[in-house]
Amino acid sequence: MKQFPVERKSIWQRLISRECIRAGTVRLMKQLRQDNHRLYVYTTSYRSPAYISRMFLSYGIRLDKIINKSIHDKTLGKTAGSMFIFYK
């Protein structure tokens, strides 16, 4: 498995998630939010939107929308590729 630098995790973050966020993600997303961008996460995993939201919130990042594989399949159908862009 490929390794990459990750953000440092507090005790709170360790309790919420076993996963790590790549180094630089927090700074980038906070800068994007400060510049009035909306933050979406689009993942091909089946992790629940609530889980993903809590994980990012533990780093101080509020997400505007989360699209996981279940939502993707429900919206576009199971045979749709993951390269589609979803706009609401």
Side-chain angles (χ1 to χ4, degrees):
M1 181 193 295
K2 186 172 182 174
Q3 296 293 318
F4 48 84
V6 296
E7 295 285 350
R8 195 175 182 102
K9 288 176 77 171
S10 68
I11 293 171
W12 171 246
Q13 290 155 340
R14 288 183 194 136
L15 291 172
I16 289 177
S17 172
R18 65 190 179 283
E19 300 175 71
C20 298
I21 293 179
R22 287 185 184 212
T25 299
V26 174
R27 186 174 48 85
L28 172 64
M29 291 184 124
K30 286 184 176 183
Q31 182 63 53
L32 289 168
R33 174 67 70 200
Q34 195 172 47
D35 293 342
N36 295 316
H37 291 280
R38 294 175 64 184
L39 301 177
Y40 286 26
V41 167
Y42 191 108
T43 178
T44 56
S45 80
Y46 286 99
R47 293 176 196 88
S48 75
Y51 171 80
I52 294 168
S53 179
R54 280 191 307 271
M55 182 174 63
F56 279 90
L57 274 174
S58 75
Y59 286 94
I61 301 167
R62 183 183 56 80
L63 298 173
D64 294 299
K65 185 137 186 112
I66 300 164
I67 302 166
N68 67 0
K69 181 73 166 116
S70 297
I71 294 168
H72 171 93
D73 289 348
K74 186 176 178 183
T75 304
L76 299 175
K78 292 184 183 212
T79 59
S82 61
M83 297 302 291
F84 289 98
I85 298 175
F86 179 83
Y87 293 109
K88 182 175 181 183

